[in-house]
């Protein structure tokens, strides 16, 4: 019980050791010195709260917000001292905000609890006491032997012990973890693979030692010690032996595995990502404005307190005859009285801080994010994928992007590889009709004949078909199928799966050329060379990693010879070769790269018996090491992969995605600089940059590549800076490689940034994942603090995506890690244009107006209260009734601005896409600049003065506004001011609205009508639970006066007419490009009024009737973005749009 309490409070100490020891089937040693390690149970907890901590934890989180905490303090002050307004005026709005937020968060957490219970209660089979026992997933303990059947998911992280196959292999998919749908093969060690029954597993004596849990899905270091007949056999364990929780068993009847990481220590749980903690520029501005308004509030409260005491210096005002002080009041401390009065004024003016702003902003972001998901223009039919929003906190940031950092492969390109060319022994070859033909020669062998390959060609094709991690899936269904190349021994039911599209393309190419990979069975790998089967024994796999940039296999050939085949980037292979046509191959690789092909170099090494024994021993020692295993393995791999014989190189094409060039051009016209960050070699990256429009043919390409030292790098940077200054008229593009970038960032960061900022486009090639993140951070933290966006599709882009202000994942073929770690996800790069230029523009304009309008209406609200104190001797008399104080922000003025912030369109979506330069009008947070903020604040004060003094002039000298001579009083005056204010601030928003829907009309006029109906109802009844009946019949009496109606109309017109005049003059004398485009909008948007905010089916029907828009399709069902381009572009397409 004590341990459970300590765990709940977070005091239970973590694991003391760097490794954990797991006794399989929990057979602990019998000697008394053994102290069992404590491990987590197998419960998954994704929920944030429990039934016990929900209230305190949620309240703590909500009161961390400055506005909520401020209103709590005000509420407590109202409870403690005698204040002019009821505690309900602060308490009720605060309670409403806190309750709404708590209900929302509580409901979301309840759904998480429900999902957790479903997972934790799933039935599983565990080996216990010599039999197979069914239990719940949450009851699995570390050391339990778990049975998993075909198509089931693994309930914990398991080390594979055995499968229904004799060799102890199984196939799994990790789609739910990283999105990769290819089959992966995992292995059991030979000593446990034979234990295929429950009885044999029960008698198994084995211990697993492994590292403590870590989040990296692809890293696992451990070893298993199996005791057989008194002898201990030690085998290394790596990622290929670990079955991750959440992965699914495929093409295997059943497996048995021992649980090593359970519950929240499983790798899947350690990869759970919390909601993005990135903060938008708008949110930062909002907090700044709140602090300024807090300063205004304190100034007003202090000034009022000082003026009160200055006024009361005269006895006739300090203690008038009609309000004599008590003895206690006369003897009380002056300091305490001053503090009490200051707090009372603070309470009186506290509504200048808008408490409901946070709730409205949160609601606007949450509801607004659905428009991205619903937008059919962001839906990709081929892959059936729609846009995805992982966090709605950054919607408006999409409208502020200044730099886009993009990956190349899979982001700008399709990541669909096609084999095009290769170089073998210094001769270039092309594939023609499935045959390998030297360049310059035509296919001359007759159909049906077996092409003759020389030794070098055959060895090259064998190396390519054997050195990979491709898996084969056999379709179990019997069908006739199309007759494929039976001469090659290829069955139509056989399909290749690979984690790398390059490998799949190469293996399929060798199959077409006659060397067919037939699959692996345990240690045996089989290929067919023109129908003749050859079996190779797989001895070792030297896995690919981003630092080495190569992978290798060590095989035993049918003749018994030991040979190493390796492939990788030319920079990772050529320096380690000692024979072969090195110079010719290097030239060919550069030629392939200039054509935009992805290149790989292939080499081999033949081992003598002694050499192989040394290699085998070193590999075993490194792989069984528990400490510094990775470092030791890298050292051994480098020892093995040297003295290579160069076989040749391959060139694979990755075609560009649709409309990449138009999208990059649109971003450039919008004032957004595009940087391409890729791991590809220099020539390939430059070729693709030119073809996709990132670099123009007329652009002056500057290079910072192959720098060897700091001094050399600095000198080159100075040369580039001079060239840019001399040729400042033309555009420049910069190419940087990874090695030169490391030197530039080490000591010459400022100079490098100066060069980069003066270039229109930057291309960084040969980049490691962390270097991508460093480049983003460099720009992000520069003095200008630009807003950055990173977009990528692979695991190597995750660090860049997380570093940028906005991270976008592409739903590509490299798994889902980028998507899971992104803020937004789209299926294709071309969708980025609409996401930024349209959705980003809308969200930013909407929320910028929302924030400033909130401050404006609260200045209008509270300034008359401040002015009123000059006319009531600063007695802290409130101008408005408490109910009006409470409901002003909650009911009377909340809905119009919320609906505005969801549906407003300053410019039609078509125009925003056709004129990307409009994006510049909202850049650098221009709509929330200090100048704009001051304008709205000044407007609020001006309107407040007109409300107050307009009403005062009407009633100041003669309060007889009724025909029968009846006089009006204090509450009537306050109600008149409040009525004028509610109408004016609502109509002010109506003036700001450009896109009217039925919902805007409903909430705008409905809010005014609701205020009148509520006031009549509230003032027409004597409410028994109210202490005073101040407002009884006040509103009815006010409305029965013709003078009051005249005053309301005159004051509202006086407030808004100058605003209308200003808008008209500015629009005609000095219109912005956005205002000019609004004229154009009216011509484009014919028929849209009928389509906006209607179901998709009805919108499509109406679109069909509008001949002008017949080439387009309905988009944005249920959103105001009613008509958007899909499919074929109408007469003025992308090219025409840019020129307009």
């Amino acid at each position: 019980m004590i341990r459970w309490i300590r765990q709940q409070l977070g005091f239970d100490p973590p694991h003391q050791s760097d490794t954990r020891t797991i006794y399989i089937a929990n057979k602990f040693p019998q000697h008394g010195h053994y102290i069992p390690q404590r491990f987590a149970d197998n419960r998954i907890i994704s929920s944030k709260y429990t039934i016990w901590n929900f209230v305190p934890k949620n309240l703590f989180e909500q009161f961390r917000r400055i506005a909520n905490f401020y209103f709590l303090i005000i509420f407590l002050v109202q409870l403690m001292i005698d204040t002019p307004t009821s505690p309900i005026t602060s308490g009720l709005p605060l309670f409403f905000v806190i309750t709404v937020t708590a209900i929302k968060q509580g409901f979301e957490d309840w759904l998480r609890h429900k999902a957790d219970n479903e997972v934790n209660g799933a039935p599983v089979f565990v080996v216990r006491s010599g039999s197979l026992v069914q239990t719940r997933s949450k009851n699995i303990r570390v050391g339990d032997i778990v049975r998993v059947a075909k198509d089931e998911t693994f309930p914990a992280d398991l080390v594979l012990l055995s499968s229904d196959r004799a060799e102890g292999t199984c196939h799994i998919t990790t789609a739910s973890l990283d999105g990769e749908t290819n089959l992966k093969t995992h292995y059991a060690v030979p000593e446990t693979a034979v234990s295929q029954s429950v009885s044999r597993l029960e008698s198994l004596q084995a211990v697993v030692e492994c590292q403590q849990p870590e989040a990296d899905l692809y890293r696992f270091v451990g070893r298993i010690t199996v005791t057989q007949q008194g002898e201990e056999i030690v085998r290394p364990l790596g990622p290929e032996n670990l079955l991750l929780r959440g992965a699914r068993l495929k093409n295997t009847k059943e497996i048995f595995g021992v649980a090593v990481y359970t519950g929240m220590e499983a790798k899947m749980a350690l990869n759970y990502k919390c909601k993005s903690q990135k903060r938008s520029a708008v949110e930062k501005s909002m907090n700044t404005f709140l602090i300024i308004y807090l300063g205004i509030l304190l100034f007003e409260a202090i000034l009022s307190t000082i003026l009160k005491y200055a006024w009361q210096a005269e006895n006739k005002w300090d203690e008038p005859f009609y309000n004599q002080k008590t003895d206690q009041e006369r003897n009380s401390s002056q300091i305490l009285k001053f503090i009490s009065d200051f707090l009372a004024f603070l309470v009186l003016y506290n509504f200048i801080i808008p408490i409901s702003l946070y709730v409205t902003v949160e609601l606007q972001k949450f509801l607004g994010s659905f428009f991205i998901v619903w937008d059919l223009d962001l839906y990709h039919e081929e892959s059936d994928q729609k846009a995805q929003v992982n966090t709605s906190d950054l919607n408006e940031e999409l409208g502020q992007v200044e730099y886009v950092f993009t990956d190349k492969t899979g982001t700008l390109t399709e990541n669909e590889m096609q084999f095009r060319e290769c170089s073998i022994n210094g001769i270039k070859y092309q594939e023609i009709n499935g045959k390998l033909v030297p360049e310059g020669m035509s296919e001359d062998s007759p159909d049906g004949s077996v092409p003759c390959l020389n030794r070098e060609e055959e060895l090259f094709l064998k190396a390519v078909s054997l050195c990979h991690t491709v898996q084969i899936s056999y379709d179990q269904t019997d069908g006739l199928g199309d007759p494929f190349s039976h001469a090659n021994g290829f069955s139509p039911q056989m399909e290749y799966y690979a984690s790398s599209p390059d490998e799949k393309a190469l293996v399929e190419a060798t199959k077409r050329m006659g060397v067919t990979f037939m699959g692996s069975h345990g240690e045996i790998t089989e290929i067919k060379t023109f129908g003749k089967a050859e079996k190779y024994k797989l001895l070792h796999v030297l896995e690919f990693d981003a630092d080495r940039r190569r992978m290798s296999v060590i095989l035993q050939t049918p003749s018994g010879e030991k040979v190493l085949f390796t492939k990788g980037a030319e920079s990772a292979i050529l320096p380690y070769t000692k024979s072969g046509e090195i110079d010719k191959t290097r030239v060919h690789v550069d030629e392939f790269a200039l054509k935009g092909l992805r290149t790989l170099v292939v080499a081999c090494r033949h081992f003598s018996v002694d050499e192989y024994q040394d290699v085998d021993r070193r590999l075993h020692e490194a792989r069984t090491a528990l400490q510094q295993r990775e470092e030791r393995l890298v050292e051994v791999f480098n020892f093995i992969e040297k003295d290579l014989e160069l076989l040749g190189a391959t060139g694979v094409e990755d075609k560009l995605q649709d409309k990449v060039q138009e999208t990059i051009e649109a971003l450039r016209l919008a004032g957004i600089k595009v940087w391409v960050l890729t791991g590809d070699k220099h020539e390939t990256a430059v070729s693709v940059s030119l073809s996709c429009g990132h670099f123009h043919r007329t652009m002056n390409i500057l290079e910072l590549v192959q720098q060897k030292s700091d001094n050399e790098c600095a000198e080159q940077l100075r040369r580039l800076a001079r060239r840019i200054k001399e040729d400042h008229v033309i555009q420049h593009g910069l190419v940087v490689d990874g090695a030169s970038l490391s030197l530039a960032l080490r000591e010459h960061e400022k100079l490098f940034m100066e060069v980069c900022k003066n270039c229109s486009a930057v291309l960084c090639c040969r980049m490691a994942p962390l270097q991508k993140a460093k480049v983003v951070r460099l720009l992000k933290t520069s003095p200008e603090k630009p807003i950055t966006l990173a977009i990528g599709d692979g695991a190597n882009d995750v660090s860049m995506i997380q570093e940028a202000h906005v991270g976008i994942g592409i739903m590509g073929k490299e798994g889902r890690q980028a998507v899971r770690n992104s803020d937004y996800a789209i299926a294709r790069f071309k969708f980025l244009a609409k996401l930024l230029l349209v959705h980003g523009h809308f969200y930013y304009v909407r929320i910028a107006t929302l924030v400033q309008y909130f401050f404006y209406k609260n200045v209008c609200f509270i300034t008359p209260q401040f002015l009123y104190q000059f006319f009531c001797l600063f007695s802290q008399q409130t101008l408005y009734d408490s109910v009006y104080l409470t409901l002003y922000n909650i009911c009377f003025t909340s809905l119009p601005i919320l609906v505005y912030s969801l549906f407003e369109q300053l410019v039609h979506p078509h125009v925003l896409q056709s004129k990307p330069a409009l994006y510049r009008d909202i850049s650098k947070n221009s709509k929330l600049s200090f100048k704009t903020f001051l304008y709205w604040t000044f407007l609020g004060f001006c309107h407040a003065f007109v409300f107050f003094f307009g009403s005062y002039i009407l009633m100041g000298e003669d309060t007889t506004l009724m025909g029968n001579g009846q006089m009006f009083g204090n509450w009537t005056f306050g109600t008149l001011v409040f009525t004028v204010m509610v109408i004016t601030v609502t109509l002010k928003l109506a003036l700001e609205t450009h896109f009217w829907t039925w919902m805007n009309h409903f909430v705008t006029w409905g809010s005014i009508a609701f205020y009148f109906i509520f006031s009549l109802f509230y003032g027409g009844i004597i409410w028994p639970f109210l202490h005073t009946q101040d407002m009884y019949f006040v509103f009815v009496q006010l409305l029965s006066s013709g003078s009051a109606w005249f005053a309301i109309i005159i004051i509202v017109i006086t407030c808004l007419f100058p605003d209308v005049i200003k808008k008209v003059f500015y629009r005609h004398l000095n219109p912005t490009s956005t205002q000019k485009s609004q004229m154009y909008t009216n011509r484009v948007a014919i028929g849209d009024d009928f389509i906006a905010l209607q179901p998709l089916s009805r919108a499509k029907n109406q679109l069909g009737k509008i001949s002008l828009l017949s080439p387009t399709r309905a988009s944005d069902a249920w959103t105001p973005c009613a008509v958007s381009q899909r499919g074929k572009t109408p007469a003025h397409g992308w090219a025409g749009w840019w020129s307009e």
Side-chain angles (χ1 to χ4, degrees), residues 396-402 666-667 669-672 787 789 833 835-841 912 915-924 926 1073-1074:
E396 64 277 9
E397 205 81 330
L398 294 170
Q400 294 297 293
V401 174
E402 295 171 63
L667 296 177
L669 288 170
I672 299 169
I787 303 299
L789 179 148
L835 191 66
L836 298 186
L837 303 182
V838 178
H839 288 288
H841 193 285
L912 288 174
K915 297 182 182 297
L918 296 177
Y919 192 83
R920 296 171 186 253
D921 285 1
I922 60 166
S923 62
K924 299 191 183 298
S926 59
S1073 53
T1074 301

Side-chain angles (χ1 to χ4, degrees), residues 386-406:
K386 60 184 179 181
Q388 189 176 312
V389 179
N390 295 331
T391 174
S392 59
D393 292 343
L394 303 170
N395 292 346
E396 64 277 9
E397 205 81 330
L398 294 170
Q400 294 297 293
V401 174
E402 295 171 63
Y403 284 87
V404 167
F405 299 92
T406 174

Side-chain angles (χ1 to χ4, degrees), residues 9 17 44 83 112 251 259 288 525 541 547 584 643 709 747 834 918 958 993 1081:
L9 295 173
S17 170
I44 286 290
T83 55
R112 284 193 285 265
N251 290 5
T288 306
T525 300
V541 177
D547 296 323
K584 286 183 180 178
D643 300 333
S709 66
E747 291 182 14
K834 186 169 187 187
L918 296 177
D958 182 11
T993 304
T1081 301

Side-chain angles (χ1 to χ4, degrees), residues 998-1026:
W998 66 265
M999 215 176 286
N1000 291 83
H1001 283 291
F1002 178 76
V1003 296
T1004 300
W1005 315 121
S1007 291
I1008 296 172
F1010 174 74
Y1011 164 70
F1012 277 87
I1013 293 165
F1014 174 83
S1015 296
L1016 288 169
F1017 183 67
Y1018 171 57
I1021 298 172
I1022 295 178
W1023 300 94
F1025 53 84
L1026 294 178

Side-chain angles (χ1 to χ4, degrees), residues 682 686-687 689-690 694-705 716 720 723-724 727 730-736 759 761-763:
H682 172 205
V686 170
S687 174
S689 274
L690 285 166
H694 178 236
F695 284 167
H696 287 299
R697 298 286 172 187
T698 56
M699 199 178 270
N700 183 21
I701 309 296
L702 309 174
E703 291 190 349
L704 182 68
V705 294
Q716 177 65 4
L720 295 178
R723 279 189 66 183
I724 290 170
D727 303 331
I730 62 171
Q731 287 188 327
H732 299 277
L734 178 67
V735 183
V736 193
C759 291
V762 178
L763 168 66

Side-chain angles (χ1 to χ4, degrees), residues 147-424:
R147 172 189 171 268
V148 180
K150 183 182 176 183
D151 291 328
E152 290 181 353
T153 55
F154 302 112
D157 288 355
L158 312 172
V159 166
L160 180 59
L161 296 177
S162 65
S163 73
D164 62 320
R165 296 174 180 170
E167 65 270 17
T169 61
C170 72
H171 296 298
I172 71 165
T173 61
T174 56
S176 62
L177 297 172
D178 57 15
E180 294 180 6
T181 55
N182 58 294
L183 294 177
K184 296 182 174 74
T185 306
H186 285 246
Y187 306 89
V189 299
E191 286 72 24
T192 64
V194 295
S195 303
Q196 294 176 299
S197 65
V198 173
S199 57
R200 295 196 66 173
L201 285 165
E202 184 64 23
S203 61
L204 182 66
Q205 297 285 328
V207 179
V208 172
E209 294 171 90
C210 61
Q211 61 188 164
Q212 295 293 4
E214 65 170 8
D216 191 341
L217 293 174
Y218 308 106
R219 186 172 183 271
F220 178 66
V221 178
R223 66 184 175 207
I224 184 169
T225 306
V226 183
T227 306
Q228 289 182 346
Q229 299 169 354
E231 182 187 352
E232 290 188 348
I233 301 168
V234 180
R235 295 284 186 183
L237 296 174
E240 70 279 2
N241 306 111
L242 186 69
L243 306 171
L244 297 178
R245 177 173 191 148
R248 191 177 293 274
L249 185 65
K250 290 284 187 183
N251 290 5
T252 311
K253 186 180 175 184
E254 66 175 13
I255 65 99
F256 288 96
V258 59
V260 289
Y261 304 133
T262 51
M264 298 309 292
E265 292 181 341
K267 287 183 180 285
M268 183 182 76
L270 293 174
N271 274 277
Y272 282 158
K273 190 170 182 292
C274 298
K275 193 177 182 185
S276 172
Q277 295 303 306
K278 297 175 183 178
R279 291 172 65 219
S280 68
V282 169
E283 194 178 336
K284 292 170 188 171
S285 299
M286 203 163 76
N287 289 338
T288 306
F289 298 160
L290 272 174
I291 291 168
I292 291 170
Y293 269 63
L294 199 59
I296 293 172
L297 169 67
L298 292 172
F299 170 76
E300 288 184 350
I302 292 169
L303 179 66
S304 297
T305 311
I306 292 169
L307 288 174
K308 176 178 181 174
Y309 281 92
W311 214 301
Q312 289 181 354
E314 296 181 48
N315 285 333
K316 65 174 181 176
W317 298 124
D318 184 36
E319 195 175 352
F321 70 91
Y322 56 83
N323 191 15
Q324 295 290 315
K325 290 182 181 179
T326 63
D327 291 338
Q328 186 182 354
E329 287 174 333
R330 289 194 189 97
N331 298 328
S332 61
S333 165
Q334 288 296 313
I335 294 173
L336 286 176
K337 278 179 67 180
F338 186 89
I339 292 171
S340 176
D341 282 323
F342 168 73
L343 291 174
F345 281 117
L346 208 61
V347 167
L348 195 64
Y349 306 145
N350 79 81
F351 282 95
I352 199 170
I353 305 292
I355 185 174
S356 53
L357 173 61
Y358 279 117
V359 173
T360 310
V361 166
E362 209 168 283
L363 212 55
Q364 187 267 349
K365 288 183 175 183
F366 174 70
L367 296 174
S369 63
F370 285 104
F371 292 159
I372 292 177
V373 180
W374 290 338
D375 189 349
L376 292 180
D377 273 1
L378 304 183
Y379 169 72
H380 190 242
E381 286 184 27
E382 287 81 358
S383 59
D384 189 29
Q385 289 168 330
K386 60 184 179 181
Q388 189 176 312
V389 179
N390 295 331
T391 174
S392 59
D393 292 343
L394 303 170
N395 292 346
E396 64 277 9
E397 205 81 330
L398 294 170
Q400 294 297 293
V401 174
E402 295 171 63
Y403 284 87
V404 167
F405 299 92
T406 174
D407 177 40
K408 182 182 76 68
T409 307
T411 304
L412 300 178
T413 61
E414 288 283 7
N415 206 7
E416 281 183 5
M417 310 300 175
Q418 287 289 330
F419 176 82
R420 289 287 178 248
E421 295 182 66
C422 66
S423 169
I424 304 173

Side-chain angles (χ1 to χ4, degrees), residues 838-1060:
V838 178
H839 288 288
H841 193 285
F842 286 162
Y843 287 132
Y844 175 72
V845 169
R846 290 165 184 170
I847 203 161
T849 308
L850 182 150
V851 169
Q852 297 187 117
Y853 176 77
F854 249 96
F855 285 110
Y856 154 79
K857 72 185 179 78
N858 279 47
V859 167
C860 289
F861 181 38
I862 222 65
T863 305
Q865 187 91 278
F866 172 67
L867 295 173
Y868 187 58
Q869 297 309 303
F870 287 88
F871 295 87
C872 66
L873 286 180
F874 295 91
S875 62
Q876 296 150 9
Q877 169 63 38
T878 178
L879 178 63
Y880 313 121
D881 181 68
S882 293
V883 172
Y884 285 158
L885 279 170
T886 306
L887 298 182
Y888 176 74
N889 275 319
I890 294 176
C891 295
F892 300 145
T893 59
S894 58
L895 278 179
I897 185 59
L898 177 62
V899 172
Y900 170 94
S901 66
L902 289 175
F903 298 115
E904 173 63 356
Q905 292 183 22
L906 208 58
V907 187
H908 193 278
H910 286 330
V911 181
L912 288 174
Q913 277 189 282
S914 64
K915 297 182 182 297
L918 296 177
Y919 192 83
R920 296 171 186 253
D921 285 1
I922 60 166
S923 62
K924 299 191 183 298
N925 207 10
S926 59
K927 297 281 182 188
L928 269 178
S929 64
F930 198 67
K931 181 181 173 184
T932 319
F933 167 71
L934 286 178
Y935 166 74
W936 277 92
T937 304
F938 176 73
L939 192 68
F941 279 115
C942 288
H943 285 184
F945 272 79
V946 175
F947 300 155
F948 183 82
F949 288 108
S951 303
Y952 179 75
I953 289 167
L954 179 72
M955 295 177 61
E957 298 300 323
D958 182 11
T959 58
T960 311
L961 297 178
M962 301 289 289
N964 59 5
Q966 192 174 345
M967 298 174 71
F968 281 0
N970 168 63
W971 294 113
T972 313
F973 175 70
T975 305
L976 177 61
V977 173
F978 192 84
T979 303
V980 169
M981 179 173 57
V982 168
I983 295 171
T984 304
V985 298
T986 306
L987 292 181
K988 168 62 182 167
L989 185 63
L991 283 176
E992 295 296 318
T993 304
H994 293 86
F995 186 82
W996 282 89
T997 65
W998 66 265
M999 215 176 286
N1000 291 83
H1001 283 291
F1002 178 76
V1003 296
T1004 300
W1005 315 121
S1007 291
I1008 296 172
F1010 174 74
Y1011 164 70
F1012 277 87
I1013 293 165
F1014 174 83
S1015 296
L1016 288 169
F1017 183 67
Y1018 171 57
I1021 298 172
I1022 295 178
W1023 300 94
F1025 53 84
L1026 294 178
H1027 297 297
T1028 60
Q1029 303 295 331
D1030 296 328
M1031 295 301 293
Y1032 180 66
F1033 232 63
V1034 167
F1035 196 71
V1036 177
Q1037 206 173 25
L1038 177 70
L1039 296 187
S1040 62
S1041 166
S1043 302
W1045 279 105
F1046 179 73
I1048 291 169
I1049 293 167
I1050 289 296
I1051 294 170
V1052 169
I1053 291 173
T1054 306
C1055 285
L1056 297 180
F1057 188 68
D1059 207 36
V1060 174

